[in-house]
């Protein structure tokens, strides 16, 4: 039987080996609403022994369960069934994510609800079209080589709180399509929605152990990442945590995909139509209250239009409705936690200390006695050396930086320890593409930004290692085996 959540989304058991099992750890994880500061729900804590059990169940599913012998079509059909089960829960999942992390329902309803099902269906179809093995004539001219794609094995999936459902499925869908099994550890702030995946996996008839859910903080994540039964790690989160995970995986010679932080630049060209650009920047710069890894939080404006760009961005930020994230009219919800609000406010203070002019925002909205809100904030009259232009803030804070010519704009965009995303805003798409080619970053949007399930997503420099989505995302979960034949 599936675990049923009461109105407070209370969960009492872990999902391991296809069963709902009691945790070995005392106590529970409390999830607090960023809007009301009241209890949303509770989930069980996880002990190290529970992680061991989950990894063991995932290992057995690779060898002893039907999953091990299913052909590609059977696995793809299972992913389609899982997509159907998640889709039936989409509305409730979107509401739950909004309650957990304060994401406006207009965003969660479009991304966190139906998004995971779309990702699963994409990878199910991709699995059907990518051959498990192929024959190649030997380069020497004598013999044949059979190149096989085999699942890497047990995958540890560690995900953050900002887009918990979508970022989980970027990893889980590709891993399952490749024939792997997974142990998922969600962030404590958004632990509850992970059990929606467990319910759906059970409903879809996935063999026990293919999907396992454990809970906890950094200690549980570290135990899972370094577990001897894990074959690969897939992580999205901060660069600091990614470096620690990368060190462990490097020592263990364990493959790892790291999707980390960003400090992306939006280059506004001289010929850009500001009205059009501002509409697009609302999504590229302030999505989910700026708690988005690819946020274009540095706006680079031509010096001759600097004042106009600053005013347009300030008008945008000031016009975005702040409020109850469950209200469809809300565009800016609260930040995920009081700690995150404190972090964002400290960066606004650092901007002021560096001489920035606060054009709009800069504090907490006056209309709310509760909730971890920060106003959308625009900082002007600073350069790329300022703290707010160098470090990832992960909040609704934008720095508008002037440039003299396009070469300088590209240089400023590339002058960052990060390289995850970026945008270019121009009336000449060919010119925008030319600028995009020169930006040292994993992804760039010209006159808009939106991830494409069929194309690789990831960063360079401190923004991570490897790619998710697209055929490249599937390849991240396979090992290649060459079989040499005489003929």
């Amino acid at each position: 039987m599936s675990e049923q959540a009461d109105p407070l989304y209370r969960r009492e058991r872990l999902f391991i080996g296809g069963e709902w099992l009691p945790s070995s750890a005392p106590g529970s994880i409390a999830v607090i609403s960023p809007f009301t500061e009241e209890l949303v729900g509770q989930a069980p804590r996880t002990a190290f022994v529970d992680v061991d059990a989950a990894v063991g169940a995932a290992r057995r599913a690779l060898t002893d369960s039907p999953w091990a012998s299913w052909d590609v079509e059977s696995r793809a059909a299972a992913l389609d069934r899982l997509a159907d089960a998640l889709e039936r829960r989409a509305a409730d999942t979107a509401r739950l994510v909004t309650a957990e992390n304060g994401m406006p329902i207009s965003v969660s309803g479009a991304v966190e609800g139906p998004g995971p099902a779309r990702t699963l269906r994409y990878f199910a179809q991709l699995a059907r079209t990518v051959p498990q093995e192929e024959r190649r004539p030997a380069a020497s001219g004598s013999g044949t080589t059979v190149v096989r794609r085999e699942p890497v094995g047990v995958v540890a999936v560690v995900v953050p709180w900002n887009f918990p459902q979508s970022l989980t499925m970027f990893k889980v869908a590709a891993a399952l399509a490749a024939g792997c099994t997974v142990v998922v550890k969600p962030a404590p702030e958004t632990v509850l929605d992970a059990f929606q995946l467990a319910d759906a996996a059970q409903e879809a008839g996935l063999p026990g152990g293919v999907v396992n859910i454990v809970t906890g903080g950094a200690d549980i994540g570290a135990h899972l990442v370094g577990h001897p039964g894990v074959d690969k790690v897939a992580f999205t989160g901060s660069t600091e945590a990614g470096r620690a995970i990368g060190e462990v995986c490097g020592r263990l010679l364990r493959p790892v995909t790291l999707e980390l932080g960003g400090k992306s630049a939006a280059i506004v060209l001289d010929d850009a139509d500001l009205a059009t650009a501002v509409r697009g920047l609302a999504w590229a710069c302030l999505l989910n209250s700026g708690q988005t890894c690819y946020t274009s939080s540095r706006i680079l404006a031509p010096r001759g239009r600097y004042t106009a760009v600053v005013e347009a961005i300030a008008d945008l930020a000031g016009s975005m409705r702040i409020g109850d994230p469950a209200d469809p009219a809300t565009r800016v919800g609260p930040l995920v936690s009081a700690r995150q609000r404190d972090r964002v406010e400290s960066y606004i203070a650092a901007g002021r200390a560096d001489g920035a002019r606060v054009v709009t925002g800069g504090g907490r909205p006056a209309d709310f006695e509760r909730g971890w809100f920060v106003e959308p904030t625009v900082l002007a009259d600073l350069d790329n050396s300022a703290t707010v232009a160098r470090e990832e803030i992960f909040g609704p804070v934008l720095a508008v930086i002037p440039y003299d010519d396009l070469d300088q704009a590209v240089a400023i965009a590339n002058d960052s320890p990060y390289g995850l995303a970026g945008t270019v805003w121009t009336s000449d798409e060919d010119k925008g593409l030319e600028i995009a080619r020169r930006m040292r970053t994993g992804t760039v949007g010209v006159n808009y930004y939106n991830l494409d399930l069929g194309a690789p997503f990831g960063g360079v420099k401190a923004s991570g290692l490897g790619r998710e989505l697209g055929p490249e995302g599937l390849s991240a979960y396979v090992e290649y085996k060459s079989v040499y034949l005489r003929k």
Side-chain angles (χ1 to χ4, degrees):
M1 295 290 292
S2 168
E3 282 274 291
Q4 297 298 317
D6 66 19
L8 282 177
Y9 294 100
R10 185 173 286 110
R11 297 286 187 156
E12 297 179 350
R13 292 172 179 262
L14 302 172
F15 188 67
I16 296 175
E19 300 181 17
W20 295 99
L21 302 178
S23 170
S24 302
S28 61
I29 299 171
V31 178
I32 305 300
S33 164
F35 177 58
T36 67
E37 301 182 35
E38 296 175 352
L39 185 68
V40 173
Q42 294 175 317
R45 294 188 180 276
T46 297
F48 287 172
V49 66
D50 301 317
V51 176
D52 298 341
V55 173
R59 176 64 57 193
R60 289 189 296 276
L62 284 172
T63 58
D64 301 336
S65 82
W67 188 253
S69 59
W70 280 359
D71 57 21
V72 169
E73 179 54 41
S74 297
R75 283 204 309 270
L79 265 63
D80 284 335
R81 293 196 303 274
L82 181 58
D84 292 341
L86 285 172
E87 205 163 52
R88 285 189 282 274
R89 294 165 170 80
D92 185 57
T93 299
R95 288 190 295 268
L96 177 53
V97 170
T98 289
E100 290 176 300
N101 70 5
M103 179 184 294
I105 193 68
S106 60
V107 178
S108 62
V111 178
E112 294 293 276
R118 289 194 294 266
T119 304
L120 277 163
R121 292 195 176 100
Y122 168 77
F123 277 107
Q125 187 57 33
L126 187 62
R128 291 181 173 103
T129 60
V130 175
Q132 185 175 354
E133 64 179 38
E134 59 180 283
R135 288 177 174 250
R136 302 178 186 174
S140 63
S142 176
T144 301
T145 300
V146 177
V147 179
R148 288 184 48 80
R149 297 174 177 85
E150 298 182 348
V152 71
V154 175
V155 180
V157 174
V158 183
V159 291
W161 45 259
N162 60 327
F163 288 88
Q165 285 284 307
S166 297
L167 294 174
T168 294
M169 202 50 64
F170 285 4
K171 301 157 182 58
V172 168
L176 299 188
C180 300
T181 58
V182 298
V183 179
V184 179
K185 193 206 82 68
E189 294 87 347
T190 50
V191 65
L192 296 170
D193 65 86
F195 290 99
Q196 297 283 87
L197 171 59
D199 289 338
Q202 198 168 48
E203 180 184 318
L206 267 63
V210 172
V211 173
N212 307 272
I213 310 290
V214 297
T215 65
D219 59 335
I220 293 298
H223 186 70
L224 176 60
V225 165
H227 199 286
V230 165
D231 299 301
K232 175 185 169 66
V233 175
F235 171 76
T236 296
S238 71
T239 295
E240 180 183 8
R243 285 195 172 104
I245 290 171
E247 288 178 3
V248 172
C249 292
R251 174 171 51 82
L252 296 174
L253 299 180
R254 178 169 294 169
V256 60
T257 300
L258 301 172
E259 195 268 282
L260 308 178
K263 192 66 187 178
S264 302
I267 302 178
V268 180
L269 271 59
D270 267 320
D271 63 359
D273 177 77
L274 283 187
T276 301
V278 164
R279 285 195 296 271
L281 285 167
W283 183 270
C285 299
L286 291 169
L287 179 68
N288 196 21
S289 304
Q291 298 172 124
T292 305
C293 57
Y294 62 67
T295 293
S296 288
S297 56
R298 293 182 294 152
I299 314 296
L300 310 188
R303 198 172 296 276
R305 301 186 71 189
Y306 184 74
T307 298
V309 172
V310 169
E311 290 176 351
I313 298 299
D315 288 345
L316 164 67
S319 69
M320 298 184 74
R321 179 171 174 175
I322 305 171
D324 180 354
D327 183 345
T330 293
R331 291 296 173 264
V332 178
L335 301 182
V336 71
S337 65
R339 181 177 63 179
Q340 185 66 13
R341 181 182 61 184
D342 291 345
R343 170 187 169 88
V344 172
E345 289 178 331
S346 74
Y347 274 107
I348 295 173
R352 286 190 169 104
D354 284 338
R357 173 167 56 97
V358 179
V359 184
T360 191
R364 303 178 186 181
D367 298 336
F368 301 95
E369 295 182 358
R370 293 189 296 178
W372 299 312
F373 289 97
V374 173
E375 297 170 314
T377 299
V378 176
L379 305 177
D381 302 342
L382 42 71
D383 62 29
N384 203 51
S385 66
T387 300
V388 294
R390 306 300 299 174
E391 300 181 13
E392 184 178 43
I393 299 174
F394 226 59
V397 181
L398 306 177
V400 187
I401 301 168
Y403 68 84
D404 294 316
D405 55 41
L406 287 181
D407 288 341
Q408 186 186 38
V410 173
I412 292 172
N414 291 340
D415 180 19
S416 172
Y418 298 101
L420 182 60
T423 52
V424 182
W425 304 88
T426 175
S427 60
D428 184 340
E429 188 174 275
D430 289 338
K431 184 187 292 185
L433 180 57
E434 177 186 346
I435 296 299
R437 291 183 178 122
R438 297 172 62 188
M439 296 171 71
R440 187 162 183 245
T441 185
T443 60
V444 185
V446 178
N447 294 324
Y448 95 123
Y449 189 95
N450 200 25
L451 301 189
D452 173 11
L453 292 177
F457 173 72
V460 299
K461 299 187 283 185
S463 289
L465 298 171
R467 294 294 183 267
E468 297 184 314
L469 303 180
E472 295 80 2
L474 181 62
S475 292
Y477 294 90
V478 303
E479 290 180 332
Y480 290 88
K481 176 188 290 183
S482 295
V483 182
Y484 309 121
L485 304 176
R486 187 180 296 274
K487 295 182 180 180

